[in-house]
Amino acid sequence: MLGVAALVLIASRLHSAEHDVVTAWRHFSWSRIPWLLAALAAEVLSFYCYALVQRRLLRAGGAHLRRRTMAALALAATGVTNVVPGGSATASGWLVRQYRRRGVPMPLALWAVLAGGFSATVSVLFLLAVGAGVAGLLPWWALLVCLVALAGGSAVVVASSHRLAGVTRWLEGHARWPGVRIVERLARRATNVLGFRATVRGGTAVLVLSVANWAMDVFVVIGAFGLLGLGIPWRAALFAYAVAQVAGSIAPLPGGVGFVEGGMIGGFALAGAGVGDAVVATIVYRVITSWAVAAIGSAMLVVLSRREAHAAELRGPAATMAAPAGRAAGEIGGSPSP
């Protein structure tokens, strides 16, 4: 029903976008198809990097899922983001549910999604700062200050999550104070989720893959300009893309529709690129990364909902968490759990 509503909305706005679509089509030439193939390849690599981020985070907690399964889940989750209002939040909830279907303990499923969202936020802000520097909007010293602030803020967030157990113990000792009991319960639940750790090497790999996930999408923007035979604004592409992602993340609309386009065109304008070329290239970029992904991801969503979910291989902390639940299920069923 949401998909039908989105199609109706798109159809109602086609007339106002007719000029831009016609202009983009007039720039199209079959001789530039290699640009389209390169853009599609970059989008596929972007999905694969996202799948690897989630797979590494799950493995840090002891849950092992196949790469093929993770790639399918990543594609379907992105399809949810582009079709359903509330985009990222809804897709995150769906992804947690899919992990639970495969036997991943709830705390680990939540941690993997939250940690993936944190690494994505850090990566986008990093690309935004670097893009502003490359576009000449930030002097080198200001860029350095931004990067140091980003690194320091990220370290504080990670360190704070590791100290949450101590805060919980302090709250337990002061539970008699009004309202503290509720906060203590919330803190205890959060401690269960944030109790997982990634090694320095593993955390670095997650951040690198997260940056690669977004960087591959930048090549789709570049491919859109090449496909239309327009001059590629190399210095502005990274900044405009990062602005579009920040704008789209604050929109409660499917795929950040309207916000992503406005952010990208505005980013190109701020960086001094031609607005006319930016408009038609943005249309092509959104067709590839939003409409095509929404269609393929929705189809994958249907396939995954009908296919039997293969259980994850659990080790270490994940196996320890799953064991009590398995014993309880066995006792209720009247037979010992495996």
Side-chain angles (χ1 to χ4, degrees), residues 46 54 56 102 108 124 132 159 165 168 182 247 249 278 286 321:
S46 175
Q54 285 294 298
R56 280 184 171 271
R102 289 159 176 80
L108 177 55
V124 169
T168 303
I182 297 176
S249 66
R286 288 294 276 170
M321 286 185 173

mmCIF file of all heavy atoms in Angstrom, residues 46 54 56 102 108 124 132 159 165 168 182 247 249 278 286 321:
data_model
loop_
_atom_site.group_PDB
_atom_site.id
_atom_site.type_symbol
_atom_site.label_atom_id
_atom_site.label_comp_id
_atom_site.label_asym_id
_atom_site.label_seq_id
_atom_site.Cartn_x
_atom_site.Cartn_y
_atom_site.Cartn_z
ATOM 1 N N SER A 46 29.067 -0.856 -3.381
ATOM 2 C CA SER A 46 28.600 -0.138 -2.203
ATOM 3 C C SER A 46 27.763 -1.057 -1.307
ATOM 4 O O SER A 46 27.956 -1.108 -0.086
ATOM 5 C CB SER A 46 27.777 1.081 -2.627
ATOM 6 O OG SER A 46 27.214 1.732 -1.513
ATOM 7 N N GLN A 54 28.161 -5.074 8.368
ATOM 8 C CA GLN A 54 27.267 -5.784 9.273
ATOM 9 C C GLN A 54 27.802 -7.176 9.624
ATOM 10 O O GLN A 54 27.684 -7.623 10.768
ATOM 11 C CB GLN A 54 25.885 -5.894 8.635
ATOM 12 C CG GLN A 54 25.091 -4.605 8.645
ATOM 13 C CD GLN A 54 24.740 -4.177 10.062
ATOM 14 O OE1 GLN A 54 24.049 -4.863 10.786
ATOM 15 N NE2 GLN A 54 25.235 -3.015 10.466
ATOM 16 N N ARG A 56 30.938 -8.188 9.792
ATOM 17 C CA ARG A 56 32.051 -8.085 10.737
ATOM 18 C C ARG A 56 31.577 -7.743 12.148
ATOM 19 O O ARG A 56 32.118 -8.238 13.140
ATOM 20 C CB ARG A 56 33.053 -7.031 10.243
ATOM 21 C CG ARG A 56 33.986 -7.539 9.149
ATOM 22 C CD ARG A 56 35.004 -6.498 8.763
ATOM 23 N NE ARG A 56 36.015 -7.064 7.883
ATOM 24 C CZ ARG A 56 37.138 -7.649 8.296
ATOM 25 N NH1 ARG A 56 37.387 -7.739 9.591
ATOM 26 N NH2 ARG A 56 38.012 -8.123 7.435
ATOM 27 N N ARG A 102 17.279 -15.596 12.446
ATOM 28 C CA ARG A 102 18.403 -16.489 12.188
ATOM 29 C C ARG A 102 19.138 -16.868 13.474
ATOM 30 O O ARG A 102 20.268 -17.353 13.417
ATOM 31 C CB ARG A 102 19.342 -15.829 11.182
ATOM 32 C CG ARG A 102 18.744 -15.791 9.785
ATOM 33 C CD ARG A 102 19.371 -14.752 8.877
ATOM 34 N NE ARG A 102 18.782 -14.858 7.537
ATOM 35 C CZ ARG A 102 17.604 -14.352 7.201
ATOM 36 N NH1 ARG A 102 16.883 -13.689 8.111
ATOM 37 N NH2 ARG A 102 17.134 -14.482 5.977
ATOM 38 N N LEU A 108 22.938 -8.638 20.589
ATOM 39 C CA LEU A 108 23.926 -8.586 19.518
ATOM 40 C C LEU A 108 23.313 -8.020 18.234
ATOM 41 O O LEU A 108 23.958 -7.238 17.526
ATOM 42 C CB LEU A 108 24.494 -9.981 19.248
ATOM 43 C CG LEU A 108 25.501 -10.093 18.092
ATOM 44 C CD1 LEU A 108 26.664 -9.129 18.284
ATOM 45 C CD2 LEU A 108 25.998 -11.524 17.946
ATOM 46 N N VAL A 124 30.104 9.525 6.944
ATOM 47 C CA VAL A 124 29.499 10.607 6.154
ATOM 48 C C VAL A 124 30.059 11.964 6.585
ATOM 49 O O VAL A 124 30.358 12.823 5.747
ATOM 50 C CB VAL A 124 27.964 10.567 6.284
ATOM 51 C CG1 VAL A 124 27.339 11.828 5.701
ATOM 52 C CG2 VAL A 124 27.405 9.351 5.567
ATOM 53 N N ALA A 132 34.381 19.271 1.610
ATOM 54 C CA ALA A 132 34.429 20.734 1.727
ATOM 55 C C ALA A 132 35.842 21.251 1.511
ATOM 56 O O ALA A 132 36.055 22.301 0.897
ATOM 57 C CB ALA A 132 33.901 21.162 3.095
ATOM 58 N N ALA A 159 34.119 5.443 24.161
ATOM 59 C CA ALA A 159 34.564 5.276 25.551
ATOM 60 C C ALA A 159 33.381 5.352 26.514
ATOM 61 O O ALA A 159 33.322 4.600 27.497
ATOM 62 C CB ALA A 159 35.591 6.353 25.896
ATOM 63 N N ALA A 165 28.506 0.304 32.140
ATOM 64 C CA ALA A 165 28.312 -0.675 33.222
ATOM 65 C C ALA A 165 28.561 -0.032 34.588
ATOM 66 O O ALA A 165 27.823 -0.277 35.551
ATOM 67 C CB ALA A 165 29.234 -1.873 33.013
ATOM 68 N N THR A 168 25.646 2.080 35.510
ATOM 69 C CA THR A 168 24.521 1.244 35.943
ATOM 70 C C THR A 168 24.676 0.814 37.390
ATOM 71 O O THR A 168 23.716 0.832 38.176
ATOM 72 C CB THR A 168 24.415 0.003 35.035
ATOM 73 O OG1 THR A 168 24.277 0.426 33.668
ATOM 74 C CG2 THR A 168 23.211 -0.845 35.413
ATOM 75 N N ILE A 182 13.834 3.851 37.166
ATOM 76 C CA ILE A 182 13.510 3.730 35.736
ATOM 77 C C ILE A 182 14.774 3.920 34.899
ATOM 78 O O ILE A 182 15.053 3.157 33.966
ATOM 79 C CB ILE A 182 12.436 4.755 35.340
ATOM 80 C CG1 ILE A 182 11.139 4.468 36.103
ATOM 81 C CG2 ILE A 182 12.192 4.722 33.839
ATOM 82 C CD1 ILE A 182 10.052 5.488 35.857
ATOM 83 N N ALA A 247 21.285 15.654 4.342
ATOM 84 C CA ALA A 247 19.923 16.170 4.183
ATOM 85 C C ALA A 247 18.905 15.039 4.150
ATOM 86 O O ALA A 247 17.834 15.123 4.766
ATOM 87 C CB ALA A 247 19.833 17.002 2.898
ATOM 88 N N SER A 249 19.121 12.137 5.556
ATOM 89 C CA SER A 249 19.015 11.426 6.830
ATOM 90 C C SER A 249 18.053 12.088 7.806
ATOM 91 O O SER A 249 17.565 11.442 8.740
ATOM 92 C CB SER A 249 20.397 11.318 7.484
ATOM 93 O OG SER A 249 20.873 12.608 7.853
ATOM 94 N N ALA A 278 23.903 19.932 -12.778
ATOM 95 C CA ALA A 278 23.699 19.202 -11.525
ATOM 96 C C ALA A 278 22.286 18.649 -11.440
ATOM 97 O O ALA A 278 22.082 17.536 -10.940
ATOM 98 C CB ALA A 278 23.979 20.115 -10.334
ATOM 99 N N ARG A 286 19.558 9.492 -8.923
ATOM 100 C CA ARG A 286 18.448 9.004 -8.102
ATOM 101 C C ARG A 286 17.725 7.828 -8.757
ATOM 102 O O ARG A 286 17.229 6.941 -8.062
ATOM 103 C CB ARG A 286 17.469 10.146 -7.826
ATOM 104 C CG ARG A 286 18.008 11.159 -6.864
ATOM 105 C CD ARG A 286 18.206 10.580 -5.491
ATOM 106 N NE ARG A 286 16.980 10.605 -4.715
ATOM 107 C CZ ARG A 286 16.798 10.003 -3.555
ATOM 108 N NH1 ARG A 286 17.771 9.271 -3.048
ATOM 109 N NH2 ARG A 286 15.655 10.078 -2.899
ATOM 110 N N MET A 321 24.774 -16.267 25.243
ATOM 111 C CA MET A 321 23.468 -15.614 25.385
ATOM 112 C C MET A 321 22.335 -16.498 24.888
ATOM 113 O O MET A 321 21.235 -16.493 25.437
ATOM 114 C CB MET A 321 23.452 -14.301 24.598
ATOM 115 C CG MET A 321 24.235 -13.194 25.243
ATOM 116 S SD MET A 321 24.048 -11.647 24.333
ATOM 117 C CE MET A 321 24.897 -10.531 25.442
#
